[in-house]
């Protein structure tokens, strides 16, 4: 089951963060699916992880996100934008 958590637009450019919690009880992990693309998403992710008492992991490399992970976020945004653009053009 997934729950959507709306982040107020005035606080962050992030529009929605979906929480994927799986089907296990108790919950074993939480996946944050970020919808939006602003650069201030990382403080929101770190605030959620602190509230849950855990550390966020960068799914692109399997490493813990560092507080200075902005470069990784920017790299993901570039990858995402290229992928979307190539899909829109019908190319690989």
């Amino acid at each position: 089951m997934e729950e959507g958590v709306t982040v107020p637009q005035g606080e962050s450019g992030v529009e929605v963060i979906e929480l994927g919690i799986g089907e296990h009880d108790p919950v074993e992990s939480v996946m944050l699916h970020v919808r939006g693309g602003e650069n201030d998403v990382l403080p929101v992710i770190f605030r959620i992880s602190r509230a849950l008492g855990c550390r966020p992991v960068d799914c692109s490399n399997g490493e813990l996100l560092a507080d200075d992970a902005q470069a990784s976020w920017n790299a993901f945004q570039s990858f995402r934008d290229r992928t979307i653009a190539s899909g829109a053009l019908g190319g690989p």
Side-chain angles (χ1 to χ4, degrees):
M1 183 173 134
E2 293 185 352
E3 297 286 329
V5 176
T6 302
V7 178
Q9 190 68 29
E11 181 177 335
S12 170
V14 176
E15 296 174 10
V16 173
I17 296 179
E18 239 179 274
L19 300 177
I21 60 171
E23 297 179 7
H24 297 284
D25 187 12
V27 173
E28 297 176 352
S29 65
V30 176
M31 173 72 76
L32 301 180
H33 302 275
V34 178
R35 307 289 190 255
E38 298 298 319
N39 287 330
D40 57 353
V41 67
L42 291 176
V44 175
I45 290 171
F46 280 104
R47 189 171 58 195
I48 291 170
S49 64
R50 278 193 302 275
L52 295 174
C54 61
R55 296 276 313 273
V57 173
D58 183 340
C59 291
S60 70
N61 61 20
E63 296 180 13
L64 292 174
L65 278 177
D67 289 332
D68 61 351
Q70 191 64 46
S72 178
W73 174 245
N74 293 341
F76 167 74
Q77 287 177 307
S78 295
F79 165 77
R80 177 200 60 206
D81 295 344
R82 285 190 315 273
T83 301
I84 291 171
S86 68
L89 298 174

